[in-house]
Amino acid sequence: MMVGTRYVLLQDGFVFKIRGSMILILVVCMFGVHVNDVAAKDALSLYDSSRPKSVNVGALITFDSVIGRAVRPSIQAAVDDVNADSSVLQGTRLELYFHDTNCSGYFGIVDALKLMEKNVAVAIGPQSSGIAHVITDIVNELHVPLLTFATDPTLTALQYPYILRVTQSDYFQMYAIADLVDHYGWREVVAIFVDDEYGRNGISVLGDALAEKSAKISYKATLSSGASESEISDLLVQVNLMESRVFILHVNPDSGLNVFSVAKNLAMMSEGYVWIATDWLLSVIDATQPVDHGTMNLLQGVVALRHHIPSSDLKKKFVSRWKNLQYGGNRSLNSYSFYAYDSVWLAAHALDSFLNNGGNISFSRDPKLSVIKGSSLNLASLSIFDGGRKLINLLLGSNYTGLAGHYQFDSQKNLVRPTIDVLNFVGPGYRNIGYWSKFSGLSVVAPENRDSRNKSFSDQNLYSVIWPGQTKNQPRGWVFPKNGKQLRIAVPHRVSFLNFVSEIKDPPGVQGYCIDVFEAAVSLLAYPVPRTYILYGNGKRNPTYNNIVQDVAQDKYDAAVGDITITTNRTRIVDFTQPFLESGLVIVAPVKRSKLSAWAFLEPFTLQMWLVTLAFFIFVGAVVWILEHRINSEFRGSRKQQLMTILWPLADFAGSAFRRCSIHIVRENTESTLGRLVLIIWLFVVLIITQSYTASLTSILTVQQLASGITGLDSLIATGDPIGIQDGSFARSYLINELNVAPSRIISLKDQKDYSDALDRGPANGGVAAIVDELPYIEVFLANVDCSYHIVGPEFTKSGWGFALQRDSPLAVDLSMAILTLSENGELQRIHDKWLGIFRCSDQGDQTEETQMTLKSFWGLFLIIGVACFLALVCFVWKVACQYCKFNSEDSSEEIEPTEPVRARPPLLHLASIRELMVFVDRKEEEVKEILRSKKGSSRGGGSNGSAV
């Protein structure tokens, strides 16, 4: 009897798939053979519910490769460890099938089909992104999960539902490189990569990552998989002609070292070069330990990345027993060895969960293959894994810690905490200079030792690097191309204001302020700048500066040097250096000398100010007279004499401010404390007023007045008169586009002679009301015409002059630093004085109204003296009232008590009382005190006499 698979229908209607041996048991029972019924039932239950004895697992790798030699023993060791662990799969064994893809897409397809014939539940590998791409359709069609080591970022796309990467994606590696480039301030790199899916897709991500850091790949150099040394040499010679000296090397591990060997022969591993290698390099070095001395000499100064494998006890135990493993292949470990070992355990745990949840390792025929006829290929042997969808979901939900760290996948099927080691090759080995992770960026602290939520800017650093050429000095990252070309510099061919830039006839060349600044800046650079100046324009009119900038942006010139204003629109298409001269648009208009009248001395104060000041002179004098009249003999006498005492001391005090004897005057002329206090405060007020008056009068005597009514930008626009601008200046577009000035009002002027002529004629005679131009031009113009015209109002734009270069030109940063150095050491000012001199024209406008001081400027002072006077008068009145009350009480005590009733006083008696009060106040205080003393003495004497009687 043939033993095979049969389907049996039981009484309850369920169909079971059983083997031939089971049929024999059923036959014996049916024919009455005396078999123990219980044993038979137990046997049925055992066959129905038990797990499969084995599950087939396949591995697709290239045996004879760096990664293949490292992962093959790891996979075999992991399978043996799983089979030896009874806690996993609970007795089900993993049957491992290896297939060699020979690093070929064609053989990868063939071996994948052979592997699928064995009804594998999980496939592991390949390490090649290219092979992974070509076998994706096979695993997708047959629903077999594929745990791959390929790092191509596109393998996580939705079109590959059955592929799961167990390593870190190149997506994160490329972003780590972008952060490195940004960390060192480089803006351009050259990418050298293998021309396949692995190389192209990785470099594509690098371009996006660099763009986010305002950097770019200036040149992409591709290599074939098996490029010869001559092909590599030709490629490196080509890239060595480029500006960038930062090379990103993203190639296959098996041939990558050849690139460094050729680069060494071409002197491209010397000082000034930067080499950054992706994880392929450490895969080679770690898997070939110990590395020979010659290989390490090739790699001196190289910065390389590697998948970070955190230290753990599990990892240490595996490393300690690695050399004792009895498997073929390389005995050296790299990061892929750990990933390969863990991938088997991931598959084992997923299969265990799959079987525990009632999953069945079963396969069914693909109906799509059944319609294919006439082919000798045994396609019918390919079956679909029925539980593939469930198993891949279990794998995606893994939460497992292995040799390479924690395995957990995000929605994009990437490891949730990707981490990169940053290494530097120095001497006989390499050293760790930092780490990169998705959450913390670049740091010297390992991600597992820090809080991933805390990304501090201070942590964004690395340890020092020894660069190619055994130097610690950070390479600049670029040089001028070694192709014999000079820097093409456009220079405006001006016809006016030749101080800034002009042509030299013999020998041919250019000169001027801007040229000297540029030459001085270039001389500070640490490298030569081959250059040639090219005049821009016909020499008959000033060129249009917007056109110069546009031509630089269109690569007709490499740079533009001259009096080029930095504007918003221009910065959108070119890069500018640091401004070497401040600039801004100003208005210049005709002026005339003011004619002074005989009453010019009254102009510093307004009429209101004069009246208030005079009123306070009189008021303070009256207050001082009141305070001093009763105690100071100088404030008594005839009415005429007393009126003079009110005014004369105050005039004396005003003069004393200039004689610096104010304290002496206060002590000599006043006797009361309140009077001295008031005069001291008044002296302070008078001092400030007189000093302000002197300054204002000086300004008025030297001020110039405008010949027209234009006092600033608003009045110029409102007049409707013609406005002059310099030919070729951006002022035209600014007035039209920003200030809405009609183009018909704008007149272009060729040179300084046209400036003077247009201003002198004025708008009524075909001239202009004013000229709008940049401040440096106006300063030179006014200096040449002896300040016959005047700047009106402030600058209404703020900008500067800079040198224009093409976008992302590395020369812009170095020149900016050089310009700052020139400014700090005074060389920039020396060049300015040499060509432009010192601008000496006054910048005052029509300031007659502005220099007149109003009451608003001094009301605080008048308030202080007013309050002081009021408080002094209150104190004085209180003192006099007290004396008067005491004086009256003494008089009433001497009067005899009347015998008849007191009659009401008539109104005339009230007037008499007021006169008595005035007479009392007019008395000297010393007389009043003497009367009170005498009355007090007489009252005492009378009392004693009365008692004697």
Side-chain angles (χ1 to χ4, degrees):
M1 178 180 291
M2 295 181 61
V3 180
T5 303
R6 298 292 188 271
Y7 292 86
V8 177
L9 177 62
L10 300 183
Q11 291 181 356
D12 56 1
F14 289 94
V15 178
F16 286 88
K17 184 174 67 174
I18 59 179
R19 296 183 179 273
S21 58
M22 193 63 200
I23 296 177
L24 293 176
I25 297 174
L26 291 176
V27 171
V28 171
C29 291
M30 289 175 63
F31 283 94
V33 178
H34 297 284
V35 179
N36 191 308
D37 292 339
V38 177
K41 291 180 179 180
D42 290 342
L44 280 172
S45 176
L46 178 63
Y47 276 93
D48 288 345
S49 60
S50 64
R51 294 168 173 249
K53 292 184 178 181
S54 64
V55 176
N56 294 338
V57 176
L60 294 166
I61 60 174
T62 301
F63 292 169
D64 189 19
S65 66
V66 171
I67 295 178
R69 288 188 292 269
V71 303
R72 187 179 178 186
S74 292
I75 294 174
Q76 186 64 63
V79 170
D80 290 346
D81 290 346
V82 169
N83 290 335
D85 191 343
S86 59
S87 64
V88 181
L89 292 177
Q90 302 176 15
T92 300
R93 292 180 57 82
L94 296 181
E95 294 293 339
L96 179 61
Y97 296 93
F98 275 109
H99 281 268
D100 187 2
T101 59
N102 292 301
C103 199
S104 166
Y106 171 74
F107 285 106
I109 295 174
V110 172
D111 287 316
L113 292 173
K114 289 182 179 180
L115 189 62
M116 296 302 115
E117 288 179 346
K118 296 180 174 62
N119 288 342
V120 294
V122 178
I124 299 175
Q127 77 265 29
S128 168
S129 298
I131 298 176
H133 273 279
V134 298
I135 67 174
T136 51
D137 291 331
I138 298 176
V139 297
N140 287 348
E141 184 65 27
L142 301 180
H143 297 183
V144 177
L146 179 66
L147 304 181
T148 182
F149 313 127
T151 57
D152 178 8
T154 64
L155 287 174
T156 57
L158 294 177
Q159 68 183 104
Y160 308 123
Y162 286 92
I163 289 186
L164 181 62
R165 186 190 357 261
V166 293
T167 60
Q168 298 181 26
S169 171
D170 279 343
Y171 176 90
F172 304 107
Q173 186 171 208
M174 296 306 166
Y175 270 83
I177 293 175
D179 280 354
L180 270 175
V181 172
D182 181 65
H183 177 76
Y184 291 110
W186 301 314
R187 288 293 170 261
E188 292 185 4
V189 302
V190 173
I192 304 173
F193 58 97
V194 62
D195 190 15
D196 60 9
E197 289 83 355
Y198 161 75
R200 289 191 299 269
N201 295 333
I203 294 302
S204 176
V205 173
L206 177 62
D208 296 338
L210 289 172
E212 295 180 12
K213 303 293 184 180
S214 300
K216 69 176 183 179
I217 300 175
S218 60
Y219 185 75
K220 295 181 180 180
T222 58
L223 283 170
S224 61
S225 312
S228 63
E229 288 194 2
S230 61
E231 292 174 334
I232 296 173
S233 179
D234 293 340
L235 182 70
L236 293 184
V237 168
Q238 184 178 1
V239 300
N240 202 32
L241 297 176
M242 308 297 169
E243 287 186 3
S244 178
R245 284 293 178 265
V246 181
F247 300 128
I248 311 299
L249 192 56
H250 186 53
V251 294
N252 291 325
D254 298 280
S255 58
L257 289 177
N258 294 336
V259 177
F260 288 115
S261 177
V262 175
K264 183 77 171 179
N265 295 333
L266 295 176
M268 295 176 65
M269 300 298 296
S270 56
E271 185 174 355
Y273 289 86
V274 177
W275 289 89
I276 301 176
T278 53
D279 71 297
W280 68 266
L281 179 56
L282 267 300
S283 299
V284 176
I285 300 302
D286 290 343
T288 55
Q289 293 290 344
V291 184
D292 63 273
H293 183 71
T295 300
M296 295 308 299
N297 281 340
L298 296 177
L299 303 177
Q300 295 301 299
V302 173
V303 174
L305 306 183
R306 180 179 63 186
H307 298 164
H308 176 65
I309 307 295
S311 179
S312 65
D313 293 337
L314 191 63
K315 175 185 172 183
K316 293 177 181 177
K317 291 179 181 178
F318 181 78
V319 172
S320 65
R321 71 185 184 97
W322 174 254
K323 294 184 178 180
N324 297 324
L325 294 177
Q326 300 300 317
Y327 306 110
N330 200 336
R331 287 292 175 266
S332 294
L333 284 165
N334 60 22
S335 58
Y336 289 91
S337 302
F338 300 113
Y339 288 125
Y341 184 88
D342 290 341
S343 64
V344 175
W345 279 92
L346 281 174
H349 284 290
L351 285 169
D352 189 47
S353 298
F354 175 80
L355 295 174
N356 288 338
N357 294 328
N360 186 26
I361 307 297
S362 61
F363 296 84
S364 59
R365 293 195 176 187
D366 190 347
K368 298 177 182 178
L369 294 178
S370 61
V371 299
I372 300 176
K373 299 180 180 180
S375 174
S376 59
L377 297 176
N378 188 19
L379 299 178
S381 62
L382 301 178
S383 301
I384 296 176
F385 177 31
D386 297 328
R389 174 73 65 179
K390 184 177 180 180
L391 184 58
I392 189 65
N393 289 333
L394 289 172
L395 287 166
L396 288 171
S398 298
N399 191 357
Y400 168 73
T401 299
L403 301 180
H406 190 69
Y407 286 86
Q408 192 174 357
F409 300 94
D410 59 19
S411 59
Q412 300 297 320
K413 299 195 292 187
N414 289 316
L415 293 174
V416 294
R417 295 189 182 276
T419 305
I420 304 292
D421 293 334
V422 185
L423 308 169
N424 180 212
F425 282 87
V426 180
Y430 54 79
R431 62 189 184 95
N432 192 304
I433 60 172
Y435 306 89
W436 180 94
S437 73
K438 180 181 178 181
F439 300 96
S440 61
L442 294 173
S443 175
V444 295
V445 181
E448 63 267 19
N449 297 332
R450 57 176 291 159
D451 185 359
S452 61
R453 296 169 296 178
N454 181 20
K455 183 177 180 179
S456 173
F457 179 79
S458 61
D459 290 337
Q460 305 303 299
N461 52 44
L462 298 171
Y463 292 120
S464 60
V465 178
I466 304 298
W467 302 100
Q470 299 297 310
T471 178
K472 289 186 177 181
N473 298 327
Q474 179 187 322
R476 189 173 63 250
W478 69 278
V479 295
F480 281 98
K482 298 180 180 180
N483 50 15
K485 293 183 179 180
Q486 292 184 320
L487 203 66
R488 301 163 300 169
I489 301 177
V491 177
H493 195 179
R494 298 190 57 87
V495 297
S496 61
F497 297 104
L498 301 182
N499 313 60
F500 298 104
V501 62
S502 60
E503 180 187 13
I504 303 175
K505 296 293 185 180
D506 188 23
V510 289
Q511 65 177 3
Y513 168 71
C514 299
I515 302 299
D516 278 9
V517 172
F518 182 75
E519 290 291 336
V522 170
S523 67
L524 294 178
L525 301 182
Y527 48 88
V529 181
R531 56 197 177 276
T532 179
Y533 295 106
I534 304 172
L535 289 171
Y536 190 98
N538 56 18
K540 297 179 180 178
R541 299 189 71 91
N542 290 335
T544 303
Y545 281 64
N546 284 338
N547 293 343
I548 299 178
V549 175
Q550 189 69 36
D551 287 350
V552 172
Q554 294 176 356
D555 198 26
K556 295 180 181 178
Y557 302 96
D558 298 310
V561 172
D563 46 341
I564 303 173
T565 304
I566 303 173
T567 65
T568 302
N569 290 333
R570 292 172 182 174
T571 56
R572 293 192 178 104
I573 57 176
V574 298
D575 284 346
F576 280 94
T577 63
Q578 172 80 15
F580 59 86
L581 183 64
E582 292 185 358
S583 179
L585 291 177
V586 295
I587 301 171
V588 63
V591 295
K592 59 181 180 181
R593 180 68 63 177
S594 59
K595 297 180 180 180
L596 301 177
S597 65
W599 303 98
F601 67 91
L602 296 176
E603 292 183 6
F605 289 164
T606 61
L607 177 62
Q608 185 185 34
M609 180 65 183
W610 280 117
L611 293 176
V612 172
T613 303
L614 179 62
F616 264 87
F617 263 95
I618 297 173
F619 172 66
V620 173
V623 171
V624 173
W625 179 84
I626 291 172
L627 298 175
E628 294 290 325
H629 178 70
R630 300 185 70 228
I631 61 176
N632 194 338
S633 58
E634 293 185 8
F635 286 80
R636 307 184 66 84
S638 64
R639 293 183 178 180
K640 180 178 180 181
Q641 184 178 358
Q642 293 184 49
L643 180 63
M644 293 300 298
T645 58
I646 292 175
L647 301 178
W648 176 253
L650 299 176
D652 195 23
F653 283 134
S656 69
F658 302 99
R659 297 193 303 269
R660 299 186 179 181
C661 54
S662 56
I663 300 300
H664 172 75
I665 295 297
V666 169
R667 290 178 176 176
E668 292 297 328
N669 293 350
T670 58
E671 295 182 4
S672 68
T673 303
L674 293 175
R676 290 176 178 177
L677 177 64
V678 169
L679 285 179
I680 289 175
I681 297 175
W682 175 244
L683 178 64
F684 172 72
V685 174
V686 170
L687 177 63
I688 294 177
I689 293 176
T690 53
Q691 293 292 339
S692 302
Y693 172 84
T694 303
S696 180
L697 181 61
T698 303
S699 175
I700 290 173
L701 294 176
T702 59
V703 75
Q704 290 178 329
Q705 294 180 338
L706 295 172
S708 64
I710 299 173
T711 58
L713 180 62
D714 294 335
S715 59
L716 175 62
I717 296 175
T719 60
D721 293 333
I723 302 172
I725 64 167
Q726 184 182 170
D727 196 13
S729 171
F730 82 99
R732 179 182 185 86
S733 61
Y734 181 84
L735 292 173
I736 296 174
N737 298 330
E738 302 295 334
L739 303 180
N740 298 319
V741 177
S744 58
R745 292 181 57 189
I746 300 175
I747 299 176
S748 295
L749 303 174
K750 183 178 179 180
D751 52 26
Q752 299 181 52
K753 182 179 180 182
D754 289 350
Y755 277 29
S756 299
D757 181 63
L759 290 172
D760 291 340
R761 285 188 287 121
N765 299 315
V768 296
I771 292 175
V772 175
D773 205 350
E774 296 182 75
L775 182 60
Y777 300 122
I778 296 302
E779 289 179 345
V780 173
F781 168 67
L782 294 180
N784 291 337
V785 296
D786 296 328
C787 305
S788 301
Y789 311 100
H790 205 85
I791 295 175
V792 179
E795 298 177 63
F796 54 90
T797 65
K798 289 290 185 180
S799 58
W801 290 357
F803 305 130
L805 299 105
Q806 293 182 5
R807 292 288 284 183
D808 302 321
S809 172
L811 194 61
V813 176
D814 290 349
L815 282 176
S816 296
M817 296 296 294
I819 290 172
L820 289 175
T821 302
L822 293 175
S823 177
E824 292 172 358
N825 62 22
E827 182 65 15
L828 199 60
Q829 184 62 43
R830 188 194 65 78
I831 298 174
H832 179 280
D833 296 342
K834 170 187 173 183
W835 287 98
L836 307 180
I838 301 176
F839 183 66
R840 301 183 182 278
C841 295
S842 171
D843 58 353
Q844 295 177 348
D846 183 11
Q847 299 176 357
T848 301
E849 294 296 328
E850 296 179 1
T851 54
Q852 271 198 327
M853 291 177 290
T854 64
L855 180 62
K856 184 178 180 180
S857 304
F858 296 95
W859 71 268
L861 291 173
F862 290 123
L863 177 63
I864 293 173
I865 187 62
V867 170
C869 291
F870 174 76
L871 294 177
L873 288 175
V874 169
C875 294
F876 174 79
V877 171
W878 178 79
K879 180 179 179 181
V880 171
C882 291
Q883 289 181 351
Y884 183 69
C885 292
K886 190 174 182 180
F887 185 81
N888 284 341
S889 63
E890 294 291 341
D891 289 344
S892 61
S893 64
E894 294 178 0
E895 294 179 357
I896 300 174
E897 189 174 318
T899 59
E900 297 182 358
V902 179
R903 298 178 180 179
R905 291 185 179 185
L908 291 177
L909 293 179
H910 287 288
L911 295 176
S913 298
I914 294 175
R915 280 197 295 272
E916 290 176 1
L917 176 62
M918 296 301 294
V919 171
F920 176 78
V921 172
D922 188 56
R923 286 182 177 181
K924 292 190 68 174
E925 186 175 348
E926 199 60 39
E927 295 179 5
V928 173
K929 291 180 178 180
E930 185 65 28
I931 292 173
L932 290 175
R933 283 194 296 269
S934 64
K935 286 183 177 183
K936 189 173 182 181
S938 63
S939 63
R940 287 179 180 177
S944 60
N945 293 336
S947 55
V949 173

